[in-house]
């Protein structure tokens, strides 16, 4: 194996992982050597090495084998001595625990998740303000609003936005000292500093950063001395014109156990909330996540209507939605099947039960009859002409999609039909959705009306 083989690996990876991921993770690697089937690469720190090994290890080996180079294993060596703290360069298999910020590996921040970038953040009505404010801060052109306070319920993207700011800033201003950490970590650092009598070091460190981001600040509510120290750090940075970004699960004024002076200071800048996701945003996020998963699961097909179903039914938080998708993909790839409504119902039964929206089959029948201008009694009747049969099938499909009723139960609601009739209707509409945009539109309209 030569540098040239490595060059080809890089070329292929650049195409498959995208320019940005490539620049961040692959470009900094260097080829060191191949010995007895073990490929050694140089990485700027062990976090990068761990991450590449976990996410692209197999792909790298596969590309090499296509190039007729036999490599069975990948190891990384840290090539910039001193940049990697005390961790041995040889042990890179574990989860990354090193504190790394992109600009300066010595800062005491938490590791940034490489998936949490602005590119992967889907913008919709519920989060557009928060997103715009985060973008502005990430431009790094003067302090726009200080602090930027982001709040909202769990899983709505606060942490994602903060990481995105850190990534973006580090790309735009490579020298900037950006610290991202949770309020809990802030407290931990503070307690350590007290214990080891290093308050001076602690203060110097936190007061020397250009951008400080503290996630989940509600955590320090009721913790008086930590609050106090946070307040002083906060003031010192604001006085020096450094940017601060804070997140919490609720508005500053509503955090019980937080001193009033802190509450009021937190409101000096811009306070924006992330609203609960709506159907459109969830659908957008699903589509984006699928694109991202494609690398790992090429060739998995998703039946029409499945994403809409998930976006409709799983509205609790984005993390649950992501978990559902990951499970579906894993399952579909194991059994080598298309992701159909049946698979969804089998594989996500627990999640679906937990977020049951309680639309009833009778409601569906009424709405469908209304929409197609037929009588409910027609839908329940045995008449088979198309003007009635098609709405009936749409109704059955919606019942399958929007309720957790079984096929026989749905059949009973539709004038005592057999479960095979319902199954046939679901399959039929699924197939039609793939080719007929009118039916798609009808179903979307009905779904919305039922959701409202
Ligand atoms: P929070 O910090 O508000 O609890 P996170 O930022 O951890 O939420 O988000 C939870 C998960 O949902 C993450 O994997 C994140 O990438 C994803 N997520 C949330 N909102 C969006 C969005 N608008 N676009 C893409 N992914 C999102
Ligand atoms: Mg969070």
């Amino acid at each position: 194996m030569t540098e040239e083989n490595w060059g080809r690996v890089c070329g292929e990876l650049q195409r498959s992982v995208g320019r940005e991921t490539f620049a961040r993770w692959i470009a900094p690697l260097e080829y060191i050597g191949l010995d007895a089937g073990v490929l050694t690469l140089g990485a700027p720190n062990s976090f990068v090495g761990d991450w590449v090994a976990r996410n692209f290890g197999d792909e790298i080996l596969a590309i090499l084998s296509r190039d007729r180079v036999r490599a069975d294993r990948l190891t990384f060596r840290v090539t910039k001595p001193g940049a990697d703290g005390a961790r041995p360069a040889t042990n890179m298999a574990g989860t990354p625990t090193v504190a790394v910020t992109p600009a300066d590996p010595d800062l005491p921040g938490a590791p940034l998740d490489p998936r949490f970038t602005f590119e992967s953040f889907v913008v919709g009505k519920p989060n557009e303000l928060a997103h715009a404010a985060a973008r502005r801060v990430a431009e790094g052109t003067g302090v726009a609003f200080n602090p930027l306070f982001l709040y909202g319920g769990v899983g709505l993207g606060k942490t994602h936005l903060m990481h995105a700011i850190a990534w973006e800033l580090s790309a735009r201003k490579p020298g900037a000292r950006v610290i991202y950490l949770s309020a809990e970590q802030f407290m931990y650092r503070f307690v350590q500093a007290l214990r080891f009598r290093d308050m001076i070091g602690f203060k110097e460190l936190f007061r020397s950063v250009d951008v400080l981001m503290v996630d989940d600040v509600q955590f320090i509510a009721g913790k008086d001395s930590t609050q106090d120290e946070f307040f002083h750090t906060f003031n010192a940075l604001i006085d020096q014109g450094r940017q601060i970004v804070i997140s919490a699960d609720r508005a500053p004024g509503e955090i019980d156990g937080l001193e009033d002076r802190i509450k009021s200071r937190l409101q000096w800048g811009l306070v924006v909330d992330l609203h609960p996701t709506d159907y459109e945003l969830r659908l957008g996020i699903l589509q984006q996540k699928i694109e991202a998963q494609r690398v790992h699961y090429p060739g998995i097909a998703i039946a029409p209507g499945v994403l809409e179903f998930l976006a409709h039914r799983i509205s609790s938080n984005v993390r649950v939605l992501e978990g559902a998708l990951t499970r579906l993909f894993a399952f579909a790839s194991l059994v080598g099947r298309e992701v159909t409504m049946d698979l969804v119902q089998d594989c996500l039964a627990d999640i679906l039960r937990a977020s049951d929206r309680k639309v009833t089959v009778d409601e569906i029948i009424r709405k469908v009859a209304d929409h197609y201008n037929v009588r409910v009694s027609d839908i329940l009747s045995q008449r088979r002409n198309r003007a009635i049969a098609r709405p009936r099938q749409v109704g059955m499909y919606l019942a399958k999609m929007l309720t957790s009723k079984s096929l026989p139960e749905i059949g009973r609601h539709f004038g005592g039909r057999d479960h095979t009739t319902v199954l046939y209707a679901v399959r039929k509409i699924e197939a039609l959705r793939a080719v007929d945009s009118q039916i798609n539109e009808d179903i979307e309209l009905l779904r919305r009306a039922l959701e409202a």
Side-chain angles (χ1 to χ4, degrees), residues 290 294 297-304 306-307 328-329 332-333 336-341 343:
I290 284 182
R294 279 262 176 259
Y297 301 107
I300 286 189
I302 298 170
V306 165
L307 295 187
L328 275 179
F329 268 110
S333 78
R337 262 167 60 193
E338 186 191 22
V339 179
T340 58
M341 291 297 287
L343 184 71

Side-chain angles (χ1 to χ4, degrees), residues 99-395:
V100 175
T101 69
D104 181 349
D106 295 331
L107 287 177
L112 296 174
D113 191 317
R115 292 165 309 171
F116 292 177
T117 62
F118 281 118
E119 276 111 31
S120 65
F121 191 82
V122 181
V123 185
K125 265 251 148 1
N127 61 22
E128 63 180 338
L129 255 151
H131 171 259
R135 279 272 192 194
R136 172 62 59 81
V137 167
E139 282 167 11
T141 49
V143 174
F145 6 76
N146 221 357
L148 169 59
F149 189 100
L150 299 170
Y151 77 93
V154 16
L156 297 183
K158 300 181 295 293
T159 298
H160 189 136
L161 279 178
M162 290 173 108
H163 286 210
I165 293 174
W167 285 121
E168 182 78 16
L169 274 171
S170 72
R172 284 172 185 255
K173 302 182 133 189
R177 292 167 67 82
V178 180
I179 292 194
Y180 162 87
L181 81 178
S182 65
E184 194 175 357
Q185 285 162 328
F186 181 87
M187 181 172 102
Y188 175 76
R189 292 261 156 198
F190 171 64
V191 171
Q192 291 289 90
L194 285 177
R195 183 141 139 233
F196 296 107
R197 298 177 206 290
D198 187 27
M199 276 314 293
I200 295 176
F202 177 87
K203 283 182 200 292
E204 270 175 7
L205 185 70
F206 278 98
R207 287 167 202 191
S208 70
V209 302
D210 297 305
V211 181
L212 174 66
M213 297 199 257
V214 183
D215 206 350
D216 291 318
V217 85
Q218 75 275 357
F219 181 84
I220 60 166
K223 314 217 160 58
D224 292 343
S225 50
T226 304
Q227 264 189 55
D228 227 44
E229 191 51 43
F230 174 74
F231 184 67
H232 293 309
T233 305
F234 184 95
N235 285 338
L237 288 172
I238 298 244
D239 288 347
Q240 294 170 53
R242 309 288 168 78
Q243 179 73 54
I244 296 179
V245 183
I246 305 283
S247 88
D249 63 355
R250 65 202 90 162
E254 288 163 15
I255 305 177
D256 293 335
L258 201 61
E259 290 173 40
D260 286 339
R261 56 177 185 159
I262 299 182
K263 283 185 189 172
S264 91
R265 269 231 110 153
L266 288 173
Q267 298 179 54
W268 275 18
L270 181 67
V271 177
V272 256
D273 60 338
L274 289 121
H275 298 277
T277 57
D278 58 15
Y279 170 78
E280 276 71 26
L281 179 58
R282 290 194 293 277
L283 192 58
I285 291 173
L286 281 170
Q287 279 155 349
Q288 193 269 337
K289 302 282 172 199
I290 284 182
E291 281 317 305
Q293 295 264 354
R294 279 262 176 259
V295 191
H296 307 291
Y297 301 107
I300 286 189
I302 298 170
V306 165
L307 295 187
E308 289 81 355
F309 172 76
L310 294 176
H312 170 78
R313 283 292 299 277
I314 305 177
S315 55
S316 40
N317 84 46
V318 181
R319 211 168 286 142
V320 177
L321 201 61
E322 274 181 347
L325 202 61
T326 306
R327 203 194 288 177
L328 275 179
F329 268 110
F331 204 78
S333 78
L334 274 177
V335 298
R337 262 167 60 193
E338 186 191 22
V339 179
T340 58
M341 291 297 287
D342 284 349
L343 184 71
V344 170
Q345 304 271 3
D346 279 358
C347 161
L348 302 179
D350 53 337
I351 297 179
L352 295 175
R353 247 196 322 277
S355 59
D356 205 347
R357 296 185 75 101
K358 315 246 183 320
V359 179
T360 66
V361 179
D362 293 332
E363 243 175 287
I364 292 173
I365 295 176
R366 274 199 301 279
K367 277 273 188 318
V368 169
D370 240 29
H371 180 83
Y372 288 103
N373 234 338
V374 297
R375 283 194 298 263
V376 168
S377 58
D378 286 335
I379 290 196
L380 305 185
S381 75
Q382 300 304 313
R383 295 175 57 189
R384 285 162 169 245
N385 62 318
R386 177 109 172 243
I388 291 165
R390 188 51 45 80
R392 187 184 292 134
Q393 287 173 333
V394 168

Side-chain angles (χ1 to χ4, degrees), residues 279 283 303-314 340-342 344-345 352-353 355-361 364 393-407 410 414 422 425-426 429-430 433 439-440 442-448 450-451:
Y279 170 78
L283 192 58
V306 165
L307 295 187
E308 289 81 355
F309 172 76
L310 294 176
H312 170 78
R313 283 292 299 277
I314 305 177
T340 58
M341 291 297 287
D342 284 349
V344 170
Q345 304 271 3
L352 295 175
R353 247 196 322 277
S355 59
D356 205 347
R357 296 185 75 101
K358 315 246 183 320
V359 179
T360 66
V361 179
I364 292 173
Q393 287 173 333
V394 168
M396 290 176 177
Y397 172 82
L398 282 168
K400 178 75 183 145
M401 191 163 151
L402 303 183
T403 73
S404 47
K405 293 273 181 283
S406 66
L407 296 174
I410 294 173
F414 278 82
V422 183
V426 172
I429 300 297
E430 245 171 28
R433 287 196 73 163
I439 211 147
N440 262 327
D442 288 349
I443 287 172
E444 276 311 291
L445 264 171
L446 282 162
R447 190 194 48 70
R448 264 177 235 227
L450 286 160
E451 192 183 23

